[in-house]
């Protein structure tokens, strides 16, 4: 039986990293999963919520729940957005005292999965048939590591990619210093954390850094590029789409 | 005025700068915190039932907080029954007055102290000094900080920001005047021991904090590593212990849980080196007089906040400091409070609510490393976000930031509006990308670009691509 998932690409990927979402569609299709893109979707509300504007986030929660209502399963291309939904949606929906919204939220939340979590946990797949003959370091982003606990998902998926050599990243579990508005509110601190993260990456001698959050990767790659390190970054979905029929995306 | 806080030269972004740029301090902190971090991970890892222990610790503390008034009254009764005297202090000035008058009643002008954050919160030493009483810290690190006229920078290792050679020099100029010391730990400890022994033997009054106080029995417990606490608690005639209202535990058995949680979390030891418990006074054994000062100082205000109150579960183990990537680079002083690091970021704004402390809820990436190690499961990231909301709702905000967030929310509240804005940005991508790469950028983007390139806007959004290629997906 084929499954159908609704893809939540996130506002950020939609605008800045569409190639990640295209890669995810490709991987899911290859695994016989149909993809829907509910086009009312926008943002999970995380930026508002985390910065202290929870009342504004409530309206985005409502919008998200409406956009994805009736989905069998939702696959999200960001661990931090998935964590936002899983950890805070019910609480935020409850603030409206709108029972219909609350019950719809209750129904939807358990159906939302992060991409790598969906592949390994729901589909039970680790080898998607990708080929990527490069040295790769995996940076476990904070939400994937400590909120969703899916470190192993990404590592298993990467481990099954042909030709890929996974190299250890020292202090991998330490935050890269992005933190949304933290990166500009506490810019000196953010930069200091980033400098240590990129130094670890360079020391690890990886060609590519992989993660499941493009926001962190944008921050990391911003410094890797500015400093001319030659190390590239990729979302996990893009690595998994490498070497499939149709070649590069 | 309130809206200008973001620009003011106060608050964490400003106070942390100097430390961030101090490479010596960063190196000291990095090696100290990573060493403790590893020790902790090892001894926690060997406890099969660690998660269960954490949950038990959380449950006991929550039970206490839910009936705090009753437990405190029970504690007063128990302490009184075994010969102690309980004093209630609503705030720091009342606590200071009580302690000073107790010392003066005994005609003393010197007291010895066991490291205590609560008395640091009161600025007790300074208060006593202003009233002619000298307070001598007896914990090695506290002694160092005191001799250097400095402030502690870590809950557990107050002098974590000082290197051994700095300490050697300090001792040579103060307690070991005229002697030349080496900078080995043993020699430095010996120098302080010589000095402190005199104090232990000559002082009549000691002041301590409290780790746990048991309501059922009136037993008070202090944990420490150097034995100085044991000396302070047993040698002087008069013992004055100060505790925040949240330090009470229901039963003596509950101590067992916390004596497992605390040392493993704080020093990475299986068992704490010196654990002193005492129950009232006993003729011919220990202090003849025991005073317990129970302090509120806005803790009841914290208790009233259903999300923020979990900060009162804290047992001051400092595990959250040791794993915090922000603390590791800022040190404790940047937090401008006796409570630094992640716990400080949620406690100080609630306890003190000074303008500078109101910036602390944003001094975190919400990475969650603190929550993961906290032995009483305080969800620090959740409390941080809650306090951000609270601070903003109380009017401490930047009007322009709020307006931008409102506008963004408006755009994001409809798929087609977002699509439209994206299409405009995509059309303008060439000039925008040029601007992002090399143009002059104001505000947020400028700050971002100071350390990182801005990614190029791609030629089509995913939504645009989907309309053209994806809508018949899998059909
Ligand atoms: S918040 Fe938790 S980890 Fe931090 S000092 Fe308190 S008890 Fe320890």
């Amino acid at each position: 039986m084929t499954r159908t998932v609704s893809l939540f690409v996130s506002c950020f990927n939609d605008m800045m990293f569409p190639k990640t979402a295209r890669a995810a569609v490709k991987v899911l299709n290859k695994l016989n999963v149909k993809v829907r893109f509910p086009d009312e979707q926008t943002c999970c509300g995380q930026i508002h919520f985390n910065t202290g504007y929870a009342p504004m986030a409530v309206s985005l929660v409502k919008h998200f729940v409406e956009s994805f209502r009736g989905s069998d399963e939702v696959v999200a291309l960001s661990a931090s957005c998935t964590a936002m939904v899983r950890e805070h949606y019910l609480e935020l929906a409850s603030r409206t005292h709108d029972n219909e919204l609350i019950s719809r939220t209750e129904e939807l939340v358990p159906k939302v999965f992060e991409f790598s979590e969906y592949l390994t946990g729901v589909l039970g797949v680790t080898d998607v048939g990708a080929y990527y003959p490069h040295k790769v370091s995996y940076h476990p982003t904070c939400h994937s590591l400590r909120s969703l606990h899916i470190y192993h998902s990404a590592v298993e998926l990467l481990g099954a990619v042909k030709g890929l050599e996974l190299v250890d990243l020292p202090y991998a579990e330490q935050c890269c210093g992005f933190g949304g508005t933290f990166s500009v509110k506490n810019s000196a601190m953010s930069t200091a954390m980033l400098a240590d993260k990129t130094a670890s990456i360079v020391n690890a001698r990886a060609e590519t850094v992989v993660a499941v959050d493009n926001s962190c990767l944008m921050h990391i790659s911003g410094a890797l590029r500015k400093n001319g390190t030659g190390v590239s970054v990729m979302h996990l979905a893009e690595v998994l789409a490498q070497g499939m029929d149709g070649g590069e995306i | 005025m309130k809206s200008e806080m973001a620009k003011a030269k106060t608050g964490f972004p400003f106070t942390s700068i100097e430390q961030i740029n101090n490479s010596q301090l960063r190196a000291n902190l990095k090696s100290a915190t990573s060493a403790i971090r590893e020790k902790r991970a090892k001894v926690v890892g060997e406890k099969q039932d660690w998660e269960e222990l954490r949950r038990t610790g959380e449950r006991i503390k929550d039970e206490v907080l839910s009936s705090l008034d009753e437990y405190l009254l029970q504690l007063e009764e128990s302490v009184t029954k075994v010969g102690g005297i309980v004093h209630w202090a609503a705030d720091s000035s009342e606590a200071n007055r009580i302690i000073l008058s107790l010392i003066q009643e005994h005609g003393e002008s010197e007291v010895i102290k066991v490291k205590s954050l609560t008395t640091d919160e009161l600025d007790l030493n300074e208060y006593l000094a202003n009233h002619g009483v000298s307070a001598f810290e007896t914990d090695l690190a506290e002694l160092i900080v005191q001799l250097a006229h400095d402030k502690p920078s870590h809950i557990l290792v107050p002098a974590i920001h000082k290197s051994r050679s700095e300490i050697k020099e300090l001792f040579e100029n103060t307690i070991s005047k005229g002697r030349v010391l080496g900078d080995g730990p043993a020699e430095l400890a010996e120098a302080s021991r010589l000095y402190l022994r005199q104090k232990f033997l000559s002082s009549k009054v000691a002041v301590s904090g409290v780790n746990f106080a048991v309501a059922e029995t009136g037993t008070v417990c202090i944990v420490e590593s150097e034995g100085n606490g044991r000396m302070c608690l047993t040698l002087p005639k008069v013992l004055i212990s100060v505790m925040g209202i949240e330090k009470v535990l229901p039963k003596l058995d509950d101590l067992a849980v916390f004596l497992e949680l605390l040392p493993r979390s704080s020093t990475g030891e299986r068992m704490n080196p010196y654990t002193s418990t005492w129950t009232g006074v006993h003729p011919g054994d220990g202090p003849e007089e025991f005073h317990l000062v129970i302090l509120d100082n806005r803790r009841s205000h914290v208790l009233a906040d259903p999300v923020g109150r979990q900060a009162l579960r804290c047992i001051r183990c400092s595990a959250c400091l040791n794993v915090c990537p922000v603390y590791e680079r800022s040190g404790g002083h940047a937090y401008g409070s006796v409570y630094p690091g992640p716990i400080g970021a949620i406690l100080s704004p609630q306890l003190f609510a000074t303008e500078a402390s109101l910036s602390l809820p944003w001094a975190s990436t919400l990475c969650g490393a603190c929550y993961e190690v906290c032995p009483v499961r305080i969800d620090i990231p959740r409390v941080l976000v809650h306090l951000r909301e609270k601070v903003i709702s109380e009017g401490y905000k930047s009007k322009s930031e709020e307006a931008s967030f409102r506008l963004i929310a408006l755009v994001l509240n409809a798929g087609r509006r977002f699509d439209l804005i994206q299409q405009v940005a995509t059309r303008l991508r060439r000039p925008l990308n040029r601007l992002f790469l090399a143009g002059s950028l104001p505000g947020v983007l400028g700050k971002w670009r100071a350390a990182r390139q801005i990614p190029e806007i791609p030629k089509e959004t995913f939504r645009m691509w989907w309309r053209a290629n994806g809508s018949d997906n899998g059909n």
Side-chain angles (χ1 to χ4, degrees), chain A residues 14 29 35 39-42 48 50 53 63 91 95 146 174 185 190 196 219 222 225-226, chain B residues 328-329 362 365 367 382 388-389 401 405 412-413 415 449 452-453 456 460 462-463 465 473:
Chain A
D14 186 5
N29 283 170
V35 178
D39 65 358
E40 256 307 307
Q41 68 173 276
T42 57
H48 288 80
N50 281 354
Y53 298 101
H63 186 78
E91 183 197 326
R95 292 193 190 193
R146 285 179 282 264
Q174 212 176 62
K185 281 184 194 288
S190 173
D196 290 342
H219 166 78
R225 287 173 67 191
K226 188 168 181 114
Chain B
E328 184 183 316
R329 290 164 182 83
W362 283 270
T365 61
C367 83
R382 180 67 195 92
R388 291 176 185 186
E389 183 184 354
E401 181 189 273
F405 272 86
L412 293 172
N413 259 318
R449 202 183 55 189
R452 324 154 186 88
Q453 274 191 18
E456 294 82 21
E460 60 178 2
F462 178 72
R463 199 178 289 270
W465 178 84
N473 186 273

Side-chain angles (χ1 to χ4, degrees), chain B residues 155 314-321 343 370 373-376 378 380:
Chain B
I155 292 180
C314 176
I315 56 173
R316 312 280 188 262
C317 72
S318 69
C320 59
L321 277 67
I343 181 60
C370 46
V373 297
C374 177
V376 284
I378 301 172
I380 295 176

Side-chain angles (χ1 to χ4, degrees), chain A residues 175-184 190 193 215-216 218-219, chain B residues 365 448:
Chain A
C175 177
C176 68
F178 173 60
T181 48
F182 176 85
S183 60
V184 286
S190 173
M193 291 163 71
S215 47
C216 308
M218 176 182 76
H219 166 78
Chain B
T365 61
W448 175 271

Side-chain angles (χ1 to χ4, degrees), chain B residues 336-369:
Chain B
S337 153
V338 294
Y339 304 110
I343 181 60
I346 60 170
L347 205 50
S348 308
Q350 299 195 83
L351 277 184
F352 312 124
T354 58
E355 192 144 321
S357 75
L358 295 184
S359 73
L360 293 175
W362 283 270
S364 163
T365 61
L366 308 177
C367 83

Side-chain angles (χ1 to χ4, degrees), chain B residues 70-81:
Chain B
E70 288 163 34
Y71 285 114
L72 287 171
L73 289 173
Q74 192 190 358
L75 176 68
E76 178 181 38
E77 204 184 307
S78 309
V79 169
T80 312
K81 209 181 283 171

Side-chain angles (χ1 to χ4, degrees), chain A residues 68-111:
Chain A
F68 286 95
R69 192 149 68 93
S71 301
D72 294 342
E73 287 160 331
V74 178
V75 170
L77 300 180
S78 151
S80 66
C81 302
T82 312
M84 170 71 190
V85 171
R86 206 168 282 172
E87 293 178 341
H88 307 299
Y89 260 36
L90 199 56
E91 183 197 326
L92 288 170
S94 302
R95 292 193 190 193
T96 63
H97 303 290
D98 171 349
N99 288 333
E100 196 157 311
L101 175 69
I102 297 169
S103 69
R104 283 176 185 171
T105 308
E106 252 166 356
E107 203 179 304
L108 182 64
V109 169
K111 295 181 184 166

